[in-house]
Amino acid sequence: MPAPQLPPYDHQPKPYSGPSLEEVLALRKQVLNPGLLTYYQQPLMIVEGSMQYVYDEKGRRYLDAFAGVVSISVGHGHPYVLQKAREQLELLPYLPTLYLHPQISEYGRLLAEKMPGDLKVCHFVNSGSEANELALLMARLYTGNYEIIALRNAYHGNSASTMGLTAHSTWKYNTPHSFGVHHAQAPYPYRGLWGPEDPEAGANYAADIKSLIDYATPGRVAGFFAESIQGVGGAVVYPDGYLERAYVHVRQAGGLCIADEVQTGFGRTGTHFWGFETQGVLPDIVTMAKGIGNGIPLAAVVTRPEIARVLAERIHFNTFGGNPFCCAIGKAVLEVIEREGLQRNCLEQGEYLLDGLKKLASRHSLIGEVRGKGLMIGVELVRDLKTKEPASEECARVFERVKELGVLIGKGGFFGNVLRIKPPMCLTRPDVDFLIEVLDLALKEV
Ligand SMILES: Cc1ncc(COP(=O)(O)O)c(C=O)c1O
């Protein structure tokens, strides 16, 4: 079978004249954090990007179906975003919030317009971890309660408190953390107690939250954190009605409901702008990062005015949060999503991709489940469809082979057996055809 061909694309990468891959790798090992993970047996060096594609130092083009861990929303080097970034960079990139600047309030207005209900007050920070830290602080201050419910298989960050919210041993250092945090059962129909066909699955998984509140807390909680689809955990989509029931239990115990939209926000799920809307709920606090800035350090927390007011008990300052440069980019990203109909594109390409992946599942017994919404997709690989033994090594081989064939995807799930497909939202139909052909070949070969 001939190797699948990338769709034609009219972009000439600039010739690369920097240090070699070997030199970069050696220096990285010498001077950088040894905890850094490098994807691929032969690490990949990427030196340029254009929309849904990236280029290595030799000028080879890859389809980026992972978007730098879901951080490139509208496309690498999107021309409009670049133009707005350049304009602000030349004028005044940095200003603390001690002074007035139109960019931050204008961006706050635009972002708030995208939110349902009374979620109208924005706080700008620099990363998803910071956003979740701030949401945690506000929930505790507002409710006067301390205990937090999060979900097993969740990822919410790696700062001291958010490491506590995160629930994978791989990301939790062996230090004291997680004070007051309790992890409920992951609403993971493929692996959990209640399967995808069970109409009561949502209510049953949510009942575990009630049980945790009753048995593990004083009966009062500050809040409940949930990604709208679990990202690092392997694109786990909750059963219908899960968040609705969960929110009832949490609110009955005095808690706020916090939606982590770091991966699922900004139209990626296709049918809705925010992932939580796919579950029909209205959170009290929403955190967002990654795609919000198309790859720059920008993140936000949006909540209701009365909750936001708790921060006025003290002075709240963040050196880089809400600087004019990041806000100019955030605004441009919102404009591009709207103008280019990227939410609709996520829906169309996502449905087409899910359909293609399900067809692959009927031919490759390694595929246990294909799941996702829009362009937030997971393909869980198992050795045996009955026992669901995780096919972790096979997944690693598919992942490597897919890269050799010209596609970058992610790998996740607790067992490292889920292929994660979360490309820039500008993915085209020919890209999807190429991606399916590549996966088909790679699955055949392992
Ligand atoms: C759902 C979710 N929340 C929070 C975070 C933390 O974001 P950051 O790495 O920007 O701190 C991540 C990062 O992967 C994430 O996937």
Side-chain angles (χ1 to χ4, degrees):
M1 188 171 163
Q5 294 300 305
L6 266 165
Y9 185 65
D10 192 14
H11 175 84
Q12 195 55 45
K14 290 190 182 63
Y16 175 76
S17 56
S20 68
L21 183 149
E22 291 71 23
E23 286 167 330
V24 170
L25 184 61
L27 193 56
R28 177 170 159 131
K29 281 190 179 149
Q30 196 187 322
V31 300
L32 296 188
N33 168 5
L36 294 178
L37 170 75
T38 320
Y39 261 175
Y40 306 117
Q41 279 167 6
Q42 172 62 37
L44 185 64
M45 183 150 92
I46 296 181
V47 295
E48 196 172 325
S50 176
M51 299 310 281
Q52 67 274 40
Y53 301 112
V54 290
Y55 298 84
D56 70 12
E57 77 284 8
K58 299 196 173 94
R60 179 174 178 193
R61 178 161 59 104
Y62 294 84
L63 173 63
D64 182 6
F66 198 35
V69 197
V70 215
S71 298
I72 303 299
S73 44
V74 300
H76 290 275
H78 188 289
Y80 182 73
V81 178
L82 272 188
Q83 179 203 325
K84 291 292 161 189
R86 270 194 209 108
E87 284 170 13
Q88 193 58 54
L89 192 58
E90 282 170 16
L91 216 53
L92 181 76
Y94 177 69
L95 188 75
T97 45
L98 299 171
Y99 308 99
L100 297 184
H101 193 278
Q103 210 66 279
I104 181 170
S105 350
E106 180 61 12
Y107 179 41
R109 184 178 66 79
L110 288 178
L111 190 58
E113 274 173 16
K114 288 284 178 195
M115 305 300 302
D118 210 12
L119 293 165
K120 295 298 170 207
V121 183
C122 304
H123 309 74
F124 294 111
V125 291
N126 313 288
S127 69
S129 300
E130 267 187 85
N132 284 329
E133 283 277 351
L134 190 56
L136 187 73
L137 176 70
M138 281 196 264
R140 284 181 169 152
L141 285 174
Y142 182 74
T143 61
N145 298 332
Y146 185 68
E147 312 288 320
I148 295 282
I149 308 288
L151 296 176
R152 293 192 192 152
N153 200 43
Y155 188 89
H156 293 292
N158 67 357
S159 59
S161 303
T162 60
M163 195 195 300
L165 299 174
T166 291
H168 266 198
S169 49
T170 16
W171 306 102
K172 284 162 110 61
Y173 286 95
N174 192 11
T175 59
H177 56 61
S178 305
F179 305 111
V181 179
H182 308 271
H183 289 102
Q185 264 185 48
Y188 188 167
Y190 185 67
R191 290 207 171 272
L193 289 178
W194 298 283
E197 311 304 330
D198 188 339
E200 292 304 310
N204 290 340
Y205 286 112
D208 192 49
I209 291 177
K210 168 89 178 99
S211 166
L212 257 189
I213 292 171
D214 288 345
Y215 288 97
T217 77
R220 308 292 297 160
V221 299
F224 165 62
F225 274 82
E227 297 160 86
S228 299
I229 293 177
Q230 289 186 327
V232 172
V236 172
V237 180
Y238 308 146
D240 286 344
Y242 171 73
L243 282 183
E244 214 178 322
R245 297 294 189 100
Y247 278 23
V248 169
H249 295 314
V250 172
R251 285 175 173 152
Q252 277 171 353
L256 298 184
C257 297
I258 299 133
D260 180 331
E261 288 284 333
V262 167
Q263 295 207 11
T264 44
F266 298 90
R268 178 164 288 279
T269 58
T271 50
H272 298 81
F273 199 79
W274 303 108
F276 60 78
E277 293 172 303
T278 66
Q279 283 264 326
V281 293
L282 181 59
D284 303 298
I285 305 181
V286 180
T287 62
M288 51 196 90
K290 292 190 185 271
I292 187 176
N294 201 39
I296 52 134
L298 171 62
V301 184
V302 186
T303 187
R304 299 198 302 269
E306 70 271 20
I307 298 173
R309 219 165 284 135
V310 295
L311 290 184
E313 287 174 16
R314 294 288 184 278
I315 296 170
H316 189 256
F317 180 70
N318 184 307
T319 298
F320 290 112
N323 66 74
F325 178 67
C326 288
C327 288
I329 293 178
K331 261 168 71 183
V333 168
L334 284 178
E335 288 174 55
V336 170
I337 293 173
E338 185 76 32
R339 197 183 311 148
E340 298 183 3
L342 293 183
Q343 182 183 323
R344 168 146 272 289
N345 192 54
C346 286
L347 180 64
E348 288 172 5
Q349 305 314 329
E351 279 180 355
Y352 183 57
L353 178 53
L354 278 168
D355 191 49
L357 291 169
K358 284 179 183 158
K359 287 188 182 124
L360 285 189
S362 66
R363 295 206 301 279
H364 298 281
S365 59
L366 202 55
I367 298 183
E369 187 178 57
V370 171
R371 56 181 177 248
K373 283 187 191 294
L375 288 178
M376 173 93 183
I377 293 176
V379 181
E380 177 148 5
L381 303 187
V382 291
R383 293 206 175 119
D384 183 309
L385 290 173
K386 281 216 173 65
T387 65
K388 299 180 181 171
E389 182 190 349
S392 311
E393 286 86 34
E394 294 84 343
C395 185
R397 292 206 294 276
V398 172
F399 175 72
E400 291 282 341
R401 184 67 183 128
V402 161
K403 184 260 273 184
E404 284 166 17
L405 292 167
V407 182
L408 309 185
I409 53 175
K411 190 158 69 66
F414 181 73
F415 303 104
N417 68 326
V418 183
L419 301 170
R420 294 163 67 198
I421 305 175
K422 305 165 181 189
M425 291 154 62
C426 54
L427 192 80
T428 65
R429 199 174 165 108
D431 293 324
V432 176
D433 288 330
F434 172 66
L435 174 53
I436 295 283
E437 277 183 65
V438 163
L439 275 170
D440 194 15
L441 185 59
L443 285 160
K444 246 181 228 143
E445 289 176 356
V446 296

